[in-house]
Amino acid sequence: MEHQTALTALLKAIEEKLQWGAATGWSSYDFDTLAGQILERTKTNISSNTLKRVWGRIKYDSSPSDVTLNTLAKFLGHTDYRAFKMTLTHPKASNKKGPKKRTGFKWPPFKSRPSMIFASGAIFMLIALIAISYSSKEAKLNPDDFYFTSRKVTKGLPNSVVFAYRAASAPKNAKVEIQQSWDRTKRQTVKKNDSVATSIYYDPGYFKAKLVVQDQVVKEHGVLITSDGWWGKIQTPEKTVYLNDSSITKPGIVALTDSLLLQNGIPSKNEMQRTAFRYVDSFGDLRVNDLVVETQFRNTATTNLEVCQMSSVTLIMEGEAIIIPFSRMGCISDLQLYHLNKGISGKSNDLSKFGVDFGDWVTLRCIFKNDTLTIMINGQQAISLPMGGRINKMHGLIYRFEGTGTIRSLSLKNEEKAYFDWPLVK
């Protein structure tokens, strides 16, 4: 099979598996998330920039490497890329002995005049449309017939959540699932006549849990998993390591020390490492209609692989997120700002204000006021964006680094008071 045809089929199959829509509408956050899922399932790291090149979001003249193709095929459950191509050229054999001889259609009207043929066809189509419409209405489930709630069993991480549900009114043999968050690939099938199911959350954040029946979301609610201080996560092709507050915080800084990395079996100069720090809490009634977020951080990667020092700061809101990207100045074309439900690409927008020198601390200040978000970087306005009347609660931040990074300060406040100030001012 022609390589480009097989590659297109491979990428299409991944899009269908993820069910995030066409990749042309994916943000940098989506590619980062996919890279994380690939690493988790295949134990092979493919950077988000490599994924963007494969999908044609970044111009690149060479073909994907064998390692990349084999890893993408493994992500779909195949042995390698060759095995995936075999499914395209050798579809499953039919159980039938051979093709049946086609017989002519003997319905009497087709022996009649052309006008009778068209009239009969029109009647048939009308009956089919009515049947389809009727069956669609019948298939629509009433959310009031279902029940779905949850409770956390502890504070901090990992944290199991006990879901209580009622789905006995689902159609016979209906597939009933519980979805932990936005990720459709992590649905858990449950029995429709049972009433309890549990799931484990390893990362803190605000998640929309869903009760899904026959692929229809019938109930959903928010689940806030707090971090109980700072929470760290290191990903390499070999392993994923989670680190609690006491291991990654020192006086006035959040960071990974060489001794901490070695203690967890990770070389201090690992070229395939990805690091994330999170701070997630309820923060009372702090909302994005009156909020100031200020933080200082650095990407401290020194290997050749992280030459662009790609980084991001995600503002976690109730049900939504804002992802602010950073890189060295020469790499701003690859940046993508994710604002609520819209991606702003560095390919078609000037995001040069988000190009920084990580040799010094980067100061990010986000001001939510008068239904507008103003992003300030190192004291200069980078961009101003509308908030569309949102008053969502603020629940924390995620810092992501290709390589390693450090955080020096974080404050959350509004006009009335400071809700969080780290390091604590004594």
Side-chain angles (χ1 to χ4, degrees):
M1 172 171 287
E2 184 184 349
H3 171 69
Q4 188 56 47
T5 302
L7 176 59
T8 300
L10 177 69
L11 302 185
K12 184 66 176 176
I14 293 175
E15 291 176 21
E16 291 175 352
K17 175 183 178 68
L18 297 172
Q19 296 188 23
W20 298 347
T24 53
W26 291 0
S27 66
S28 288
Y29 174 76
D30 294 323
F31 282 103
D32 287 342
T33 301
L34 176 56
Q37 289 190 18
I38 290 172
L39 178 61
E40 182 179 342
R41 296 181 190 184
T42 68
K43 307 305 179 185
T44 302
N45 185 55
I46 300 179
S47 72
S48 57
N49 282 340
T50 297
L51 293 175
K52 290 177 184 177
R53 292 188 186 101
V54 174
W55 261 276
R57 296 288 292 275
I58 296 177
K59 183 175 175 57
Y60 194 64
D61 295 331
S62 300
S63 298
S65 68
D66 290 341
V67 172
T68 297
L69 293 173
N70 288 335
T71 302
L72 292 176
K74 288 178 182 178
F75 179 69
L76 288 173
H78 301 281
T79 306
D80 52 26
Y81 185 52
R82 179 183 290 110
F84 169 77
K85 290 194 292 184
M86 290 292 288
T87 66
L88 302 177
T89 55
H90 299 284
K92 292 182 180 180
S94 171
N95 292 328
K96 297 177 182 179
K97 300 292 184 180
K100 290 184 178 180
K101 183 179 179 180
R102 187 172 180 177
T103 57
F105 194 59
K106 301 299 184 180
W107 195 37
F110 278 85
K111 297 178 181 179
S112 306
R113 299 187 306 273
S115 59
M116 287 294 293
I117 295 175
F118 289 125
S120 301
I123 293 171
F124 177 79
M125 288 298 294
L126 180 60
I127 293 172
L129 289 172
I130 293 172
I132 292 171
S133 175
Y134 179 76
S135 62
S136 297
K137 290 179 181 178
E138 285 292 304
K140 194 72 172 176
L141 302 171
N142 183 0
D144 293 338
D145 294 335
F146 300 89
Y147 173 82
F148 186 50
T149 188
S150 64
R151 66 175 177 85
K152 295 167 284 187
V153 301
T154 187
K155 183 179 180 182
L157 293 148
N159 202 332
S160 287
V161 172
V162 179
F163 292 103
Y165 69 95
R166 184 178 65 245
S169 59
K172 185 179 180 180
N173 299 323
K175 187 175 185 180
V176 181
E177 301 167 289
I178 289 178
Q179 183 176 321
Q180 284 183 274
S181 64
W182 55 268
D183 189 351
R184 296 171 61 106
T185 66
K186 294 185 177 180
R187 288 182 176 179
Q188 171 186 350
T189 302
V190 297
K191 295 179 180 179
K192 80 169 194 172
N193 291 319
D194 281 350
S195 59
V196 173
T198 64
S199 293
I200 297 180
Y201 289 78
Y202 290 96
D203 288 313
Y206 183 90
F207 306 95
K208 273 290 184 71
K210 307 173 191 292
L211 179 64
V212 185
V213 180
Q214 294 290 74
D215 212 35
Q216 177 186 335
V217 176
V218 294
K219 289 287 185 182
E220 64 180 351
H221 64 265
V223 176
L224 177 64
I225 304 294
T226 59
S227 57
D228 195 20
W230 288 97
W231 183 254
K233 181 178 181 179
I234 309 170
Q235 286 184 293
T236 71
E238 293 77 27
K239 63 173 65 178
T240 297
V241 177
Y242 297 94
L243 301 164
N244 61 21
D245 185 275
S246 61
S247 61
I248 59 177
T249 56
K250 304 299 177 187
I253 197 169
V254 178
L256 303 175
T257 62
D258 289 348
S259 60
L260 181 62
L261 291 171
L262 292 174
Q263 180 183 332
N264 286 278
I266 300 173
S268 59
K269 300 296 182 183
N270 193 309
E271 292 192 347
M272 305 297 285
Q273 179 178 319
R274 299 171 57 174
T275 305
F277 298 116
R278 301 177 186 230
Y279 198 105
V280 180
D281 210 335
S282 61
F283 298 115
D285 197 41
L286 184 61
R287 297 178 181 271
V288 296
N289 59 329
D290 179 14
L291 169 66
V292 176
V293 179
E294 186 165 352
T295 184
Q296 288 187 310
F297 63 95
R298 291 176 57 201
N299 184 310
T300 55
T302 57
T303 65
N304 292 330
L305 188 65
E306 293 90 14
V307 65
C308 287
Q309 294 182 290
M310 291 292 186
S311 311
S312 68
V313 175
T314 301
L315 307 182
I316 303 173
M317 301 158 48
E318 186 177 36
E320 293 183 291
I322 295 170
I323 304 174
I324 305 169
F326 298 88
S327 71
R328 294 179 62 182
M329 182 60 73
C331 301
I332 57 118
S333 179
D334 284 352
L335 296 179
Q336 182 146 345
L337 172 67
Y338 189 76
H339 173 243
L340 304 174
N341 296 318
K342 178 183 178 183
I344 302 174
S345 172
K347 297 296 182 185
S348 53
N349 296 273
D350 182 1
L351 298 183
S352 57
K353 296 288 180 63
F354 297 87
V356 296
D357 178 7
F358 282 114
D360 200 357
W361 294 101
V362 175
T363 299
L364 169 65
R365 184 177 173 87
C366 299
I367 305 166
F368 295 82
K369 195 70 176 175
N370 299 324
D371 202 29
T372 300
L373 164 61
T374 302
I375 298 176
M376 308 285 294
I377 299 175
N378 294 330
Q380 295 186 337
Q381 181 173 324
I383 198 169
S384 182
L385 300 164
M387 288 300 296
R390 286 170 172 80
I391 58 171
N392 309 48
K393 291 184 67 176
M394 177 66 180
H395 285 306
L397 290 88
I398 307 172
Y399 301 76
R400 290 188 174 93
F401 304 99
E402 283 193 354
T404 55
T406 62
I407 303 166
R408 186 162 74 170
S409 66
L410 170 61
S411 70
L412 304 172
K413 61 185 178 182
N414 60 16
E415 283 191 345
E416 295 182 359
K417 65 176 182 178
Y419 284 75
F420 181 72
D421 200 353
W422 187 90
L424 298 177
V425 179
K426 297 182 179 179

